[in-house]
């Protein structure tokens, strides 16, 4: 009944070839190949009905699982010939289990979608340590001998291996890797330490990804990152030392400076220097009897003497110039920190804390922001690229306070710089 041609067609179909491909191998049409397989299936079923009337029940009971090996089904039916077994199993209603990698050849089931569902449950448990994959698969009912690593290694897999050999979700691989890294280290780590495990390009990218995932929390004031599930950590709800100080003053009312600092450090551990800087906030002032209170409640602002103007800055009427060295951070697009004297000169000591200057050509405005002990100029990367400067060069930022405009120039001494001299604006 099973000549070489018939056997070959069935074997090709079992290997995943289409009816057209299987028929063409023997010079037959797709329809003729289908007829041959159907006829063989009917003939074998008739013979099996005579020999063992319950063979269909036996096959379905043996195949009742997410994935059953062909060898186990051959043993249950007493049919060592794999081609005959193929025809009998399809005749009994068994099919290959479906996965994202396609049908799982060599395996059978009465529930073709069951394995895919188990794989989805496995994904829900991700991220998974590399050495826990088998245990987690067993927990969701996936047979451990199906070659799970091969299924997960398929390009269509929703799980992928990270650099440490762990299994992470394809669409969240960086954050999943960060989760496992923190779990292994057991303590909060700075964002810069998570860049490599996450496979991201910068510290900023790492921070942004962690902020969008509620599995992580930022531990202030040190700005390290921890897992939200670590209930043993003392994590403050305040976003900054100023917020913590204002919250204490708001709750306690007028308070002596020493007592204030003691209470703030209980909820937001920070240095004495930083606390003194917080007193310069536009929300905090001093009462006539020397206590600290809110300006909104009548306290007077606490003024700090204006620092001497640094040599890197010059003033001529309403025009202010600042020389800024070009370093790797500037070329990467980071904001540029400059001397705090600029804060006083631009009137940023009190609110508002930032000032914008119009630039030529419709580009983004140049923004100066007051920081804690410094002033920050917005990114000068575009200017550096347009001027052709390199690391070690000098840029000059020229601010016209009357016109609220800004220009950026190449500030290297002529003849001592190889960069091309080009002006912006």
């Amino acid at each position: 009944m099973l000549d070489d041609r018939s056997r070959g067609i069935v074997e090709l179909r079992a290997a995943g070839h289409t009816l057209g491909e299987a028929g063409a191998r023997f010079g037959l049409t797709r329809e003729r190949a289908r007829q041959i397989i159907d006829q063989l299936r009917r003939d074998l079923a008739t013979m099996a009905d005579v020999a063992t009337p319950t063979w269909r029940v036996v096959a379905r009971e043996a195949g009742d699982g997410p994935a059953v090996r062909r060898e186990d089904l051959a043993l249950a039916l007493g049919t060592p010939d794999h081609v005959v077994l193929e025809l009998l199993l399809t005749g009994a209603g068994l099919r290959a289990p479906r996965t994202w990698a396609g049908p799982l050849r060599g395996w059978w089931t009465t529930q073709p979608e069951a394995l895919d569902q188990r794989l989805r449950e496995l994904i829900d448990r991700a991220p998974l340590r590399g050495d826990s994959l088998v245990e987690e698969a067993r927990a969701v009912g996936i047979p451990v001998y199906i070659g799970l690593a091969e299924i997960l290694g398929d390009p269509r897999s929703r799980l992928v291996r990270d650099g440490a050999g762990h299994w992470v979700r394809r669409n969240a691989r960086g954050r999943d890797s960060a989760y496992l890294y923190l779990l292994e280290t057991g303590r909060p780590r700075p964002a810069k330490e998570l860049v490599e495990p996450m496979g991201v390009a910068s510290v900023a990218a790492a921070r942004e990804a962690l902020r969008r995932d509620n599995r992580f929390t930022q531990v202030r004031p040190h700005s390290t990152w921890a897992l939200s599930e670590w209930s043993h950590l003392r994590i403050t709800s305040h976003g900054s030392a100023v917020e913590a100080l204002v919250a204490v003053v708001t709750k306690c009312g007028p308070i002596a400076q020493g007592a204030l600092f003691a209470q703030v450090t209980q909820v937001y551990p920070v240095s004495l220097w930083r606390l003194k800087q917080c007193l310069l906030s536009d929300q905090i002032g001093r009462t006539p009897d020397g206590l600290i209170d809110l300006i909104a409640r009548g306290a007077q602002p606490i003024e700090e003497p204006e620092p001497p103007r640094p040599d890197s800055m010059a003033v001529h009427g309403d025009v202010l110039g600042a020389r800024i060295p070009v370093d790797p951070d500037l070329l990467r697009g980071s904001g540029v920190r400059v001397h705090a004297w600029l804060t006083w000169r631009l009137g940023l000591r009190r609110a508002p804390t930032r000032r914008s200057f119009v630039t030529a050509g419709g580009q983004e405005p140049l923004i100066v922001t007051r920081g804690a002990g410094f002033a920050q100029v917005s990114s000068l990367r575009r200017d550096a690229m347009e001027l052709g400067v390199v690391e070690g060069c000098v840029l000059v930022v020229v601010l016209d306070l009357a016109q609220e405009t800004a220009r950026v120039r190449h500030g290297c001494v002529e003849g001592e710089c190889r960069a091309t001299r080009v002006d912006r604006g």
Side-chain angles (χ1 to χ4, degrees):
M1 180 173 62
L2 286 177
D3 54 35
D4 290 344
R5 185 183 68 173
S6 299
R7 180 177 291 276
I9 292 173
V10 174
E11 288 178 335
L12 288 170
R13 285 291 286 153
H17 291 275
T18 66
L19 283 169
E21 292 169 342
R25 186 74 62 89
F26 295 93
L28 303 174
T29 65
R30 175 187 182 281
E31 178 59 21
R32 182 58 185 144
R34 184 192 65 77
Q35 291 173 356
I36 289 173
I37 293 175
D38 287 348
Q39 186 62 52
L40 287 173
R41 187 179 296 119
R42 287 193 296 269
D43 291 345
L44 284 171
T46 300
M47 295 173 60
D49 286 339
V50 173
T52 310
T54 60
W55 69 271
R56 289 182 179 83
V57 175
V58 172
R60 293 186 66 82
E61 288 180 350
D64 185 23
V68 181
R69 291 182 297 185
R70 176 190 285 122
E71 293 84 353
D72 294 336
L73 291 165
L75 184 62
L77 290 176
T79 308
D81 188 318
H82 69 279
V83 173
V84 172
L85 181 66
E86 182 90 18
L87 293 166
L88 288 175
L89 292 177
T90 56
L94 276 69
R95 298 291 183 269
R98 296 193 183 97
T99 72
W100 52 60
L104 191 61
R105 302 295 176 185
W107 297 79
W108 294 86
T109 179
T110 57
Q111 310 165 57
E113 308 298 336
L115 181 58
D116 184 70
Q117 180 59 41
R118 300 291 197 283
L119 289 169
R120 292 177 185 276
E121 293 174 15
L122 183 66
I123 294 169
D124 290 341
R125 291 173 174 251
L128 307 172
R129 290 176 51 88
D131 56 6
S132 69
L133 179 63
V134 172
E135 180 182 346
E136 295 290 347
R138 185 185 291 114
V140 297
I142 297 176
V144 297
Y145 41 77
I146 66 169
L148 186 58
E150 182 177 349
I151 295 175
L152 296 180
D154 186 271
R156 293 161 288 187
S157 171
R158 296 176 179 86
L159 292 181
V160 295
R161 276 189 185 273
D162 68 2
H166 303 314
W167 292 100
V168 296
R169 293 169 296 171
R170 184 182 295 276
N171 62 354
R173 64 177 71 190
R175 288 172 284 138
D176 280 358
S177 294
Y179 177 88
L180 291 174
Y181 183 83
L182 289 173
L183 202 61
E184 289 179 354
T185 57
R187 62 184 188 278
R189 308 307 304 163
K192 66 179 181 180
E193 190 174 310
L194 298 172
V195 170
E196 182 176 352
M198 293 178 70
V200 294
S202 65
V203 173
R207 290 192 184 115
E208 181 59 26
L210 296 172
R211 286 192 189 100
R212 292 187 285 105
D213 194 319
N214 59 16
R215 291 177 296 172
F216 305 96
T217 186
Q218 192 170 16
V219 182
R220 301 178 185 276
H222 307 296
S223 293
T224 54
W225 289 88
L227 299 181
S228 300
E229 63 195 58
W230 288 346
S231 57
H232 63 283
L233 294 177
R234 186 176 74 172
I235 300 176
T236 178
S237 60
H238 303 296
S240 67
V242 172
E243 284 186 18
L245 188 141
V246 170
V248 171
V249 173
T250 300
K251 178 180 179 181
C252 297
I255 184 174
Q257 180 172 307
L260 171 62
F261 287 179
Q263 290 201 35
V264 172
T265 53
Q266 289 180 12
V267 296
Y268 195 97
V270 71
S271 68
L272 178 61
W273 175 87
R274 182 69 184 97
L275 287 172
K276 289 181 177 179
Q277 289 291 313
C278 292
L279 293 179
L280 301 177
S281 165
D282 54 10
Q283 301 179 68
I284 297 296
R286 197 182 297 277
T287 65
D289 54 357
L291 300 179
I292 306 300
D293 200 359
L294 300 177
I295 290 177
R297 293 198 291 232
Q300 295 300 306
I302 301 172
E303 294 293 341
E304 185 178 47
E306 180 176 340
R309 176 167 55 85
D311 294 338
S312 59
M313 297 185 184
V315 178
H316 182 71
D318 288 327
V319 178
L320 186 153
R323 293 175 60 83
I324 298 177
V326 177
D327 60 17
D329 287 337
L330 186 151
L331 294 174
R332 281 195 295 266
S334 303
V336 181
R337 291 189 177 189
V338 297
H339 196 279
W341 175 82
L342 191 59
T343 297
W344 272 259
R345 187 65 183 83
L346 296 183
L348 303 179
R349 181 59 197 83
R350 295 292 172 189
T353 59
R354 57 167 44 195
R355 189 166 174 180
S356 297
F357 295 86
V358 177
T359 58
Q363 297 183 16
E364 293 292 325
L366 187 147
I367 300 174
V368 180
T369 306
R370 185 190 76 200
F374 61 90
Q376 179 165 294
V377 177
S378 57
S379 174
L380 299 177
R381 183 173 183 272
R382 179 190 293 272
D383 303 280
M385 294 176 64
E386 291 180 354
L387 295 170
V389 298
V390 296
E391 184 178 349
C393 288
V394 174
L395 292 178
V396 174
V397 176
V398 180
L399 304 177
D400 188 322
L401 307 188
Q403 300 296 322
E404 296 288 324
T405 61
R407 291 181 297 164
V408 180
R409 296 181 178 277
H410 190 162
C412 290
V413 176
E414 188 173 358
E416 297 182 6
C417 179
R418 291 175 297 175
T420 304
R421 185 181 298 275
V422 181
D423 286 349
R424 174 189 175 189

